[in-house]
Amino acid sequence: PLAAAGAGGGLGVVVAFMQQRPFATQVAIATCKTSLADLIVQTQVEGADRVDWRRNMLFVMFGGAYLGVFQWVVYVKGFQRLFPAMDKFCSQSIRDKLRNRAGIRALFGQIALDFVAIQPFLYFPVFYAFKTLLEEDLGEKTRVGFAFDKWKENFLQDNFGMMAFWLPADIVIYSVPIWLRLPLNHAISFAWCCVLSIFRGGDAEEQAVGLPADETLAAATSAA
């Protein structure tokens, strides 16, 4: 199939590869995207003079292990079990999707589960746990305690901010073919990171546009 796709040009080969190896493709995209997003946030949003490569490597690990492997288990394999109507819905045309009531219920069920349970009680705790590895001065707190306090302190701001950003995107993400779900998710979050770099680059003190520092990095590295 890859050879046949090659006759249609380079894009056809890429699409065929993504369809045949969706897991490997999205792990690679998640890992590279998270590294690039952190580099953009460091240099353009935070205005750092030097790249913190230790921090970047931690986000490479976060991108590969959590966004790449674990979220494949949750958002693809797990959701396929919880929402069996989603496979048919995602493979249909837009006209057929609009007629598929079970598929529409599955679409909004996935979005609701993501916002009510996965992002607040899974993604952000893991995100802040990774961030504690970057902190040198934790005071008298343990890393677990520090991560919990940051998660609790930013809970409402983080989740309402992420909801405002991801809700429109999720309607599209959970409607496209399954093999494209997470790659599209990663592409959107990377595009958001680039938008932040344009509006906030070189203006770290005022931070007049966009999200606070923790949420900026969370939005740039997240998957819905």
Side-chain angles (χ1 to χ4, degrees), residues 30-32 34-36 38 53-66 130:
T31 304
C32 295
T34 309
S35 176
L36 288 173
D38 176 58
W53 290 109
R54 175 177 173 273
R55 161 177 157 168
N56 190 256
M57 286 305 300
L58 287 171
F59 277 100
V60 167
M61 294 168 56
F62 178 73
Y66 184 84
F130 265 87

Side-chain angles (χ1 to χ4, degrees), residues 65-132:
Y66 184 84
L67 301 182
V69 177
F70 185 73
Q71 289 199 327
W72 169 269
V73 175
V74 174
Y75 288 112
V76 177
K77 296 302 182 181
F79 276 16
Q80 282 176 324
R81 287 181 176 272
L82 292 174
F83 304 97
M86 81 180 212
D87 281 315
K88 179 180 179 181
F89 179 80
C90 290
S91 64
Q92 291 179 316
S93 65
I94 294 177
R95 178 178 296 180
D96 289 336
K97 282 182 170 69
L98 294 175
R99 298 172 179 171
N100 186 344
R101 293 184 179 181
I104 292 173
R105 286 195 297 270
L107 167 66
F108 287 101
Q110 292 170 83
I111 294 173
L113 180 60
D114 190 23
F115 286 139
V116 172
I118 296 173
Q119 288 206 42
F121 299 109
L122 189 58
Y123 171 75
F124 276 112
V126 172
F127 173 77
Y128 284 120
F130 265 87
K131 281 210 70 181
T132 63

